[in-house]
Amino acid sequence: EQFRQTRSNGLVTLEEDVRVTTDLREALQSELICISIRSQNLPELMAQIAAGDQAALQTLLRRHGPLLQYILKPILTDPREREECLADISLRLWQRAGDYAPERGQFVPWLTVLARNMALNRARRLRREEPLDEAMPHGDGSAEEALLQKDRREQIRMAIRSLGREEQQLFFRKYYYCQSTAQIAAELGI
C-alpha cells in the first residue's frame, strides 16, 4: 500500500487515496509523539513568528501539518476547503502569534482549538450559503435562551468531568474531533 506526501506552499498534506495500514497508523502516532517532544521550544518559535520570521512559520506548519489535517478532515470533507482552511490557519498564526501565552496552556491544545474552531466556522459558512427551508424554526436570541444555553454548557462540563479518563478520551474523540466509531476503534485497538 502506498503512502505519499505532497508539499504545497511548505504544507505537508496527505493525498486522498492513502489507505491507512497498521504500519502507517503507527508511523502517524509516533509522529504525534515526536511533535509533542519537539514542542518544548514552541514559545520561542511563536515569538519568532510574532517578530515576522517566515521561516519559523514554515517550520511550525511542517511540524504540525499532519495534526492540522487530522483535525480538519472529519469537519471539512472537501480537500479544497481543507486547503483553504489551512491557509486561513496559517494567516491567523502569522497575524496572531503574539496571542499565544505559554503560561496559559500548552501549544498543541491551543493550536488544536484554533484549527477546530476555524474549520467549524468554515463549515457553518458553507452551510449558510445553502438556501434555508422556510419551515425551519429560528431562535429569537432572547436573554432566556442565552441563560438556558449557559446552563446546558455547565451541565455538559460537569457530566464530562464525572467521566473516567478513558471515557473522556472517547468522548472527545467522537464529539470534539468528529472521529467515526470505526476510526476510534481502529486507533485504540478496540
Side-chain angles (χ1 to χ4, degrees):
E1 310 223 340
Q2 289 185 311
F3 174 73
R4 291 180 270 164
Q5 289 183 332
T6 59
R7 295 191 186 271
S8 168
N9 297 330
L11 298 175
V12 177
T13 60
L14 298 178
E15 291 187 7
E16 289 300 310
D17 63 339
V18 173
R19 294 193 184 130
V20 179
T21 62
T22 304
D23 294 338
L24 176 58
R25 187 179 303 112
E26 290 173 1
L28 288 173
Q29 288 172 343
S30 68
E31 175 62 18
L32 290 175
I33 292 167
C34 290
I35 286 171
S36 66
I37 291 169
R38 293 184 299 208
S39 68
Q40 295 169 351
N41 65 351
L42 282 167
E44 179 182 318
L45 197 60
M46 290 300 286
Q48 292 172 347
I49 294 169
D53 185 348
Q54 290 180 1
L57 178 63
Q58 291 301 319
T59 299
L60 182 103
L61 293 173
R62 272 192 305 277
R63 283 184 188 175
H64 296 285
L67 175 63
L68 293 172
Q69 284 285 356
Y70 181 79
I71 293 166
L72 299 180
K73 191 169 187 172
I75 300 169
L76 299 169
T77 55
D78 182 357
R80 293 171 296 193
E81 290 299 329
R82 281 197 304 272
E83 287 298 321
E84 285 294 320
C85 192
L86 279 172
D88 291 345
I89 292 168
S90 301
L91 181 61
R92 178 72 57 92
L93 285 170
W94 180 254
Q95 293 171 336
R96 296 231 165 124
D99 289 355
Y100 171 66
E103 63 276 0
R104 290 190 348 206
Q106 295 179 357
F107 178 77
V108 172
W110 180 82
L111 180 64
T112 299
V113 168
L114 174 73
R116 179 181 176 271
N117 289 345
M118 290 186 75
L120 289 172
N121 289 342
R122 178 174 282 279
R124 284 185 200 113
R125 269 194 313 275
L126 291 170
R127 271 186 254 130
R128 259 189 260 139
E129 292 173 2
E130 296 174 9
L132 292 176
D133 182 8
E134 290 302 318
M136 184 180 278
H138 299 285
D140 61 0
S142 68
E144 181 182 7
E145 181 66 27
L147 187 59
L148 288 172
Q149 285 180 351
K150 182 180 177 184
D151 188 41
R152 277 184 244 141
R153 278 193 300 269
E154 187 54 36
Q155 288 175 350
I156 291 171
R157 282 189 192 111
M158 288 173 46
I160 292 171
R161 285 187 202 122
S162 72
L163 297 173
R165 176 120 172 98
E166 290 176 359
E167 293 166 329
Q168 283 182 3
Q169 183 182 28
L170 289 172
F171 173 83
F172 284 118
R173 283 177 175 264
K174 180 70 176 177
Y175 296 101
Y176 188 77
Y177 293 115
C178 303
Q179 291 182 332
S180 69
T181 305
Q183 186 181 9
I184 294 170
E187 288 182 8
L188 296 179
I190 52 177

